[in-house]
Amino acid sequence: MKKTLKWRILLLAAATVLAVLFFLPSLPGFKSFPSWWKSVLPSKPITLGLDLQGGIHLVLGVEGDKAVENFVNHVADDIGTILTQKGINIVSAKRENVTDVVIKYSDTAKEKDVVNEMKKQYPNFSTAKDIPGEAVFSLGSSEKERIKDSAVSQALETIRNRIDQFGVTEPLIQRQGADEILIQLPGVKDPKRAIELIGKTALLEFKIVDEEGNLNTAIQGQIPEGDEVLYGKEVDPVTKAVKQTIPYLLKSKSLMTGDVISDAQVSINQEFNEPYVALSFNSVGARLFEKITGENVKKRMAIVLDGNVYSAPVIQERIGGGKASISGHFTMESAQDLAIVLRAGALPAPVKIIQNLTVGPSLGRDSIEKGLKASAIAAVLVLLFMVVYYKVSGLIADFAMVLNLIILTGALSALDATLTLPGIAGIILTIGMGVDSNVLIFERIREELRAGKPVRSAVDSGYDKALVTILDSHVTTLITALVLFMFGTGPIKGFAVTLSLGIAINLFTALVGTKVVYDYINSRTKVTKLSI
């Protein structure tokens, strides 16, 4: 036996064994395999796409105007503080509409100072109205669009961080259009929890409770200037239903927000055996928190997330060290979700669900069964055709096709590629291309045999003459598949992956796999007549 033939047989055997090892974890009975197998050999099954294992398909719209409003609110608060520090007495500095900051001042002689300070601090605002005692500044349209665009990009990254920490395999998260985000989460078993986690704005604020104000009259609408009424929800940990809502009269001004959090982890309260979220602040937050608690000893400080009061403990002493906690009758799941959104950061603007499609696992199983059924029928028909039309050579082609399927499934598992329903279509297409390659080779061999060449010479010439045509068709299809992979998304990308792998493997099995069989037979015996 020639040395090159031995190496080709070894290469074929090694590829087959590796493919089988990677494919075995995808079989239904793999759970019964011994534990040592899973610790030594491949144990991860083929990853199934959203259409095969079920999951969530969401399209979220980012409310960019809210991001603009938040920015203008921040500017109004900031410029009010700056003007006061510079000795310019103002009545108020507030946002109006979406883009306007209205500054009201009592000393009309300071009008020029107000305008100059605003232009100096925020040059992207232009003077919209200037009447005695009141100045109105409007945010430019280009700056407004920039803030909206930035909000979508920031929301995309924040959602990606949350989903990564939630532990979803192979999520698809990408921008769609100007202000939409497409999310696909395969295999998610609790869609409601996932949607709540993704859509939570997570704006964390620390506010002082107004103990001197009258809560009852405030609830009825008589809210003191600079105050607001917010509510805390007490949720039943078992049924998750809201048992009661508790009103709080709070100072509107946020003393501190969640952007200074460096970490958030779930811990267990040893006294009540309840989970709570332990917060760690960065250096800036630690100093600020110590200052706030030092100035408000014996007062209650409310911890507010997205307008909901989680707790309002009494500050007993100045708290240093940059640590705080949020308690609020959490379940372990809700505490973990809160810790995730706090670690990932707040969304720059609320998001709304534009499209919500939940694909159930039963639909996925049905797709798999139909896909496998179609693949099996196609494979059996092709196998029979090749045997009937090309006899023993048809059996060799069938061997190559089976080998192609084994190596392809093993490669999908080894590369951790995602198998989708269009991906199954790609596998069926690969079967067709594999058969087509062998038909091209066999027809060339037949021509050589009809020309009177001996079997060994006819086989070699047949492979040589078919090589260019096979390469040409495979390379052009491969280029198409690569383009689909680069620009496609979700299931289209899954189709491109299986098609690309299938083409590459098909070249190997058609040109190496079947040729090895012919060469091995010719090396063992002198074949005078070929069954083809």
Side-chain angles (χ1 to χ4, degrees):
M1 189 184 295
K2 288 183 179 178
K3 190 178 285 185
T4 56
L5 179 58
K6 284 183 181 178
W7 279 112
R8 279 185 286 157
I9 291 174
L10 283 174
L11 178 64
L12 200 63
T16 307
V17 170
L18 275 176
V20 169
L21 288 176
F22 277 103
F23 177 66
L24 282 176
S26 301
L27 295 177
F30 182 71
K31 289 181 181 176
S32 60
F33 277 41
S35 56
W36 62 264
W37 178 291
K38 297 171 185 175
S39 58
V40 177
L41 296 170
S43 59
K44 189 175 180 183
I46 293 176
T47 304
L48 300 180
L50 181 70
D51 49 357
L52 293 182
Q53 63 169 318
I56 306 174
H57 171 102
L58 289 174
V59 177
L60 302 178
V62 180
E63 298 183 25
D65 280 344
K66 290 290 182 184
V68 178
E69 286 182 7
N70 292 338
F71 175 76
V72 177
N73 275 329
H74 169 74
V75 169
D77 290 342
D78 193 43
I79 194 65
T81 304
I82 291 172
L83 292 174
T84 303
Q85 288 174 348
K86 289 185 174 294
I88 302 173
N89 292 324
I90 62 169
V91 177
S92 64
K94 293 182 179 178
R95 174 187 60 81
E96 277 191 5
N97 304 319
V98 176
T99 58
D100 293 349
V101 172
V102 179
I103 302 174
K104 294 181 178 178
Y105 46 94
S106 53
D107 188 356
T108 53
K110 296 286 186 179
E111 177 186 340
K112 191 175 180 181
D113 294 337
V114 170
V115 174
N116 289 339
E117 195 62 36
M118 185 67 186
K119 287 183 176 178
K120 176 184 171 186
Q121 298 293 335
Y122 296 101
N124 44 12
F125 280 80
S126 58
T127 305
K129 195 189 296 180
D130 191 5
I131 59 176
E134 182 177 306
V136 180
F137 302 91
S138 186
L139 185 67
S141 58
S142 60
E143 184 65 8
K144 180 182 173 184
E145 292 306 314
R146 188 198 64 78
I147 292 171
K148 284 184 175 181
D149 184 71
S150 175
V152 178
S153 300
Q154 192 180 336
L156 186 72
E157 288 306 311
T158 303
I159 290 172
R160 194 190 305 280
N161 288 337
R162 290 181 184 181
I163 291 173
D164 286 346
Q165 296 187 37
F166 190 55
V168 178
T169 307
E170 297 283 331
L172 172 67
I173 309 161
Q174 64 183 30
R175 187 168 182 164
Q176 180 174 279
D179 57 357
E180 293 179 358
I181 295 174
L182 171 66
I183 301 170
Q184 290 186 346
L185 306 178
V188 170
K189 301 292 188 298
D190 189 350
K192 186 179 177 185
R193 182 187 170 199
I195 291 171
E196 287 178 354
L197 176 74
I198 292 168
K200 191 173 284 185
T201 306
L203 174 60
L204 183 68
E205 299 171 286
F206 295 84
K207 296 183 175 183
I208 293 297
V209 178
D210 186 357
E211 303 282 9
E212 297 175 355
N214 190 318
L215 177 61
N216 292 327
T217 57
I219 293 173
Q220 294 168 5
Q222 299 177 18
I223 303 173
E225 180 73 21
D227 283 5
E228 63 182 349
V229 177
L230 295 179
Y231 293 85
K233 297 176 185 175
E234 191 172 330
V235 179
D236 188 300
V238 178
T239 64
K240 298 183 180 179
V242 178
K243 290 197 297 186
Q244 61 174 330
T245 54
I246 305 168
Y248 294 90
L249 182 61
L250 308 176
K251 296 290 185 184
S252 301
K253 185 178 180 181
S254 295
L255 300 178
M256 195 168 130
T257 58
D259 58 350
V260 294
I261 291 175
S262 62
D263 193 18
Q265 296 290 339
V266 177
S267 298
I268 301 297
N269 184 314
Q270 298 299 325
E271 185 179 355
F272 302 106
N273 197 31
E274 286 184 345
Y276 68 95
V277 179
L279 304 177
S280 300
F281 300 120
N282 58 26
S283 57
V284 175
R287 285 196 299 273
L288 187 57
F289 192 66
E290 185 173 2
K291 178 174 179 288
I292 292 168
T293 52
E295 293 174 350
N296 294 281
V297 174
K298 300 302 178 187
K299 293 181 181 177
R300 297 177 71 194
M301 185 166 68
I303 301 172
V304 184
L305 181 70
D306 292 345
N308 181 45
V309 180
Y310 273 76
S311 56
V314 177
I315 302 170
Q316 300 293 349
E317 60 184 354
R318 177 188 292 269
I319 303 174
K323 303 283 186 185
S325 64
I326 304 176
S327 56
H329 303 288
F330 292 114
T331 62
M332 183 55 77
E333 279 188 354
S334 61
Q336 286 172 344
D337 290 350
L338 178 58
I340 286 174
V341 297
L342 291 175
R343 283 199 301 269
L347 291 174
V351 293
K352 59 183 178 185
I353 297 175
I354 298 175
Q355 189 179 31
N356 177 9
L357 297 176
T358 301
V359 182
S362 58
L363 181 60
R365 278 198 299 274
D366 189 47
S367 300
I368 293 174
E369 288 170 3
K370 287 182 178 177
L372 291 177
K373 190 176 178 182
S375 303
I377 292 172
V380 169
L381 289 176
V382 170
L383 287 170
L384 287 175
F385 169 79
M386 293 301 288
V387 171
V388 170
Y389 197 72
Y390 291 108
K391 303 180 179 62
V392 175
S393 294
L395 277 176
I396 295 173
D398 290 347
F399 159 73
M401 193 178 74
V402 173
L403 198 62
N404 193 345
L405 285 175
I406 292 173
I407 298 177
L408 176 56
T409 49
L412 284 172
S413 184
L415 297 175
D416 201 20
T418 302
L419 180 62
T420 60
L421 193 57
I424 294 177
I427 293 175
I428 296 173
L429 180 59
T430 301
I431 293 174
M433 293 192 67
V435 173
D436 186 52
S437 302
N438 284 291
V439 167
L440 284 170
I441 294 169
F442 292 165
E443 290 303 320
R444 297 294 85 75
I445 293 174
R446 277 181 168 179
E447 288 174 3
E448 297 300 315
L449 290 173
R450 283 197 289 268
K453 285 189 177 181
V455 171
R456 176 174 292 188
S457 177
V459 169
D460 290 341
S461 297
Y463 272 91
D464 289 341
K465 290 184 176 179
L467 177 63
V468 175
T469 309
I470 293 173
L471 282 177
D472 182 56
S473 65
H474 280 64
V475 169
T476 51
T477 309
L478 183 61
I479 291 172
T480 307
L482 292 176
V483 172
L484 283 176
F485 181 80
M486 289 172 63
F487 298 103
T489 58
I492 302 299
K493 187 168 277 191
F495 173 77
V497 168
T498 52
L499 186 59
S500 304
L501 284 173
I503 290 168
I505 294 167
N506 189 44
L507 279 174
F508 174 70
T509 53
L511 298 177
V512 178
T514 54
K515 186 69 165 47
V516 161
V517 177
Y518 284 119
D519 288 348
Y520 179 79
I521 294 172
N522 283 322
S523 71
R524 306 294 296 179
T525 180
K526 187 177 180 181
V527 181
T528 56
K529 186 178 180 183
L530 186 63
S531 176
I532 189 168

